[in-house]
Amino acid sequence: MTDGIELNELYVGLAPAVVEELTTREDRETVPAGTKLISQGTMPEHLIFIEQGSVEVAVPAGDKALCLSIVGPGKVLGLRAIVANVQPEIDATAVEQCAIVRIPKGIFLEVLKQHPEMYFAISKVLSNDLNTAERVLRGLPRSPAKEKRLANV
């Protein structure tokens, strides 16, 4: 099943039988640095797990991108977009050559339909992502106009 490879953050919370079912559907690939794995506004066709390498997760901020984090082995990409059926607000780009695992969206959703207990593990992953985003946003300097508005409240 995993042959010594560390489980990704989603699989850690799943029953072994569900993990086994998903791993039989995985495709492995090595992508070069600069590869866009998730693009803001474009529905992902695959759930992606990083096995080796690092990926920058960023959100658009005006004419720039704000790096939320650099993630590595074990991280799951595209989960929120696939489960909620919404276009992602993030870009995820390989910082270096990465070994990734892909599961087609339709197959993942079919397994989810058969195993609704997966939602507990999914909610844990998404909650961790939300906490990461909140920490980054709290660390950003506020604009002078916003500071002035808050002082007048």
Side-chain angles (χ1 to χ4, degrees), residues 68 79 111 130 142:
L68 291 178
L79 183 61
V111 173
L130 184 59
R142 293 188 176 169

Side-chain angles (χ1 to χ4, degrees), residues 91-149:
D91 288 323
T93 308
V95 175
E96 59 188 334
Q97 180 174 298
C98 292
I100 62 169
V101 173
R102 301 181 319 152
I103 298 177
K105 173 175 67 174
I107 290 173
F108 178 77
L109 291 174
E110 186 58 37
V111 173
L112 178 58
K113 190 176 182 180
Q114 295 169 9
H115 300 279
E117 67 274 14
M118 291 173 60
Y119 280 108
F120 292 108
I122 290 168
S123 65
K124 186 173 181 178
V125 172
L126 296 178
S127 178
N128 288 338
D129 289 349
L130 184 59
N131 286 334
T132 298
E134 181 182 23
R135 280 193 305 275
V136 168
L137 292 173
R138 286 183 186 269
L140 291 177
R142 293 188 176 169
S143 69
K146 190 171 188 176
E147 290 292 333
K148 188 174 183 178
R149 262 186 303 170

